[in-house]
Amino acid sequence: MSGLVSEEVEGRPLPVGGFCEEAFAPVRRAFVENFTLRGEPGAAIALIVGGRVVADLWGGWRDRARSAPWQRETLVNFFSIGKALSALCALKLVEKGLADLDEPLARAWPEFAACGKEAITLRHALSHRAGLPAIRAALPDGAMLDWPLMIRALEAQAPWWEPGTAHGYHVNTFGYLLGEIIRRRMGVTLGTLLRDEIAGPLGADAYIGLPVAEHGRAAEFLWPEVNPPAPEGVMSDDVLMKWNTYWNPPGISGAGWINSAAWRSAEIPSTNGHGTARGVARIYSALANGGAIDGVEVIAPSLLREAVTEHSYGPDRILERVSRFGLGFQLPQPERTLGPNAGAFGHFGAGGSLGFCDPEAAVAFAYVTNDMGPRWQNPRNRALIEAIYLGLEGKG
């Protein structure tokens, strides 16, 4: 099953390419319906079952003007999908004996101990329990591109809550915390480690810090034209923490920068990873298989088991709803499942993008999009997940 489909969107033929095995026809149907029924502008999906690619589809348009169809090699900013990739990089340090999950970060990064952070561990950081989701001091727009500046700001920041006593999604600081430990212990950036020891050996098209030579493949991300207004009046500490998590510096979540060469080239590990659905699914295919595939070990099985063990579950200080995390991975919860099996794990990204695996079903899946769709209950990724299991049940 491949080629153009007969459906139209806004009176124009909908371009869809790739292939999908007949058994997984529900996946292809859900993918097409995302465009025809759910407003999808451009996207790609990849589904791997038992180590074999059974669906690799792309469709729609890679630009706001809808003049350039999405191609097989189109990649896109996948936002927080990168948190799971960043966690794998940090766990590589543990595997190499260069870090310990319960060792204070300040042992490798002495300046970090300032302002009551001397006991914060890598485990705290990976499970969103470090109390550092935001920077209080106002930073200029574009500061997120300056690694040393962001690191100094984190050094000077006191925890917003006592580390280890609660959790709150470290939306944009997560990657800086992990990346600085990697830099100090290995002398390389997080993006370099991802390329050299995970994505590269797997042949996975996924990057944190997109090489300039690859910029021409990047889809335009359709960031909303209007950003939310700042709360009026003097903000309480709690409101300031939540606001600054997303908007200090102003462009840290991508606003005003998302399609620029500077943004694409920088390493903002929580937020600006780029890749194809095929590349993300390839990494998860190793995780679905216990941490290794085709002779490439991404993570030792024992460490992977620790990483997908629940570390945080309950009210989230930032998201203001229940969230559930292992070490860098989101875990399924009743409000947002990853299929029917409790052992699935992965990470969603802004706009609804998703990478996950279900070891029980031997499934690895990724969905990437260039639209800022619903962040929480996203009908597009939900339809795709449901379709995967329909295919597995033989209900094509």
Side-chain angles (χ1 to χ4, degrees):
M1 302 172 67
S2 63
L4 290 174
V5 296
S6 60
E7 286 84 353
E8 293 188 348
V9 176
E10 298 180 359
R12 300 173 60 188
L14 170 65
V16 172
F19 77 93
C20 181
E21 292 188 359
E22 191 65 39
F24 290 92
V27 175
R28 189 174 194 275
R29 185 163 57 247
F31 182 67
V32 171
E33 288 176 349
N34 277 350
F35 294 94
T36 60
L37 302 179
R38 304 182 191 100
E40 183 83 89
I45 62 170
L47 174 63
I48 300 173
V49 179
R52 184 169 58 86
V53 179
V54 299
D56 183 8
L57 294 168
W58 53 90
W61 294 269
R62 53 173 287 176
D63 62 334
R64 191 180 294 273
R66 301 197 173 193
S67 62
W70 201 286
Q71 304 290 336
R72 182 180 190 276
E73 301 306 321
T74 298
L75 46 73
V76 70
N77 197 127
F78 50 51
F79 293 96
S80 289
I81 284 178
K83 287 187 174 70
L85 307 187
S86 298
L88 286 174
C89 291
L91 291 168
K92 276 286 186 187
L93 288 186
V94 178
E95 191 173 285
K96 292 172 182 288
L98 298 175
D100 185 278
L101 287 170
D102 298 307
E103 173 188 31
L105 297 181
R107 193 162 296 169
W109 179 5
E111 301 89 341
F112 182 74
C115 305
K117 301 191 296 298
E118 63 278 353
I120 293 176
T121 65
L122 183 57
R123 192 185 299 274
H124 289 144
L126 283 165
S127 56
H128 300 273
R129 304 182 73 82
L132 295 170
I135 294 167
R136 183 182 295 271
L139 298 174
D141 197 12
M144 67 284 176
L145 306 177
D146 186 334
W147 189 272
L149 190 157
M150 293 298 295
I151 295 309
R152 290 195 299 271
L154 284 167
E155 290 169 355
Q157 177 63 47
W160 295 84
W161 64 81
E162 183 181 346
T165 62
H167 78 280
Y169 190 36
H170 287 43
V171 178
N172 291 306
T173 56
F174 182 85
Y176 291 105
L177 294 171
L178 302 188
E180 185 63 9
I181 291 303
I182 289 169
R183 190 186 72 80
R184 289 183 180 242
R185 282 286 163 92
M186 288 192 66
V188 301
T189 68
L190 189 153
T192 299
L193 179 56
L194 175 66
R195 180 196 67 206
D196 291 350
E197 301 203 23
I198 298 173
L202 286 172
D205 202 6
Y207 307 85
I208 290 173
L210 187 64
V212 172
E214 308 296 342
H215 284 201
R217 295 198 286 135
E220 178 183 4
F221 195 89
L222 311 185
W223 189 273
E225 295 185 4
V226 178
N227 294 316
E232 296 182 359
V234 177
M235 291 187 240
S236 67
D237 251 25
D238 193 56
V239 171
L240 179 66
M241 174 183 69
K242 292 167 187 171
W243 176 261
N244 282 10
T245 289
Y246 291 95
W247 302 106
N248 183 40
I252 195 167
S253 293
W257 292 88
I258 190 75
N259 296 308
S260 69
W263 174 271
R264 290 171 177 162
S265 296
E267 289 192 19
I268 310 171
S270 302
T271 315
N272 84 328
H274 287 73
T276 61
R278 190 167 52 255
V280 174
R282 173 65 172 164
I283 294 172
Y284 274 99
S285 70
L287 304 182
N289 195 47
I293 197 165
D294 297 333
V296 178
E297 184 176 85
V298 170
I299 183 174
S302 59
L303 196 53
L304 178 58
R305 287 193 295 272
E306 180 74 6
V308 300
T309 297
E310 180 185 300
H311 280 69
S312 297
Y313 187 27
D316 188 301
R317 293 285 305 271
I318 298 299
L319 299 177
E320 299 183 301
R321 54 173 167 74
V322 171
S323 65
R324 184 171 181 244
F325 295 97
L327 297 177
F329 292 100
Q330 289 176 324
L331 306 180
Q333 56 190 84
E335 301 86 354
R336 185 162 66 170
T337 64
L338 292 169
N341 297 322
F345 59 92
H347 216 294
F348 292 86
S353 58
L354 169 65
F356 87 97
C357 68
D358 177 351
E360 182 177 336
V363 159
F365 175 75
Y367 157 62
V368 297
T369 175
N370 65 345
D371 184 48
M372 189 61 78
R375 290 169 177 251
W376 174 230
Q377 299 292 353
N378 187 292
R380 298 173 192 162
N381 61 40
R382 187 163 57 239
L384 291 166
I385 294 169
E386 290 172 358
I388 291 168
Y389 290 92
L390 286 175
L392 288 170
E393 293 167 5
K395 297 179 180 179

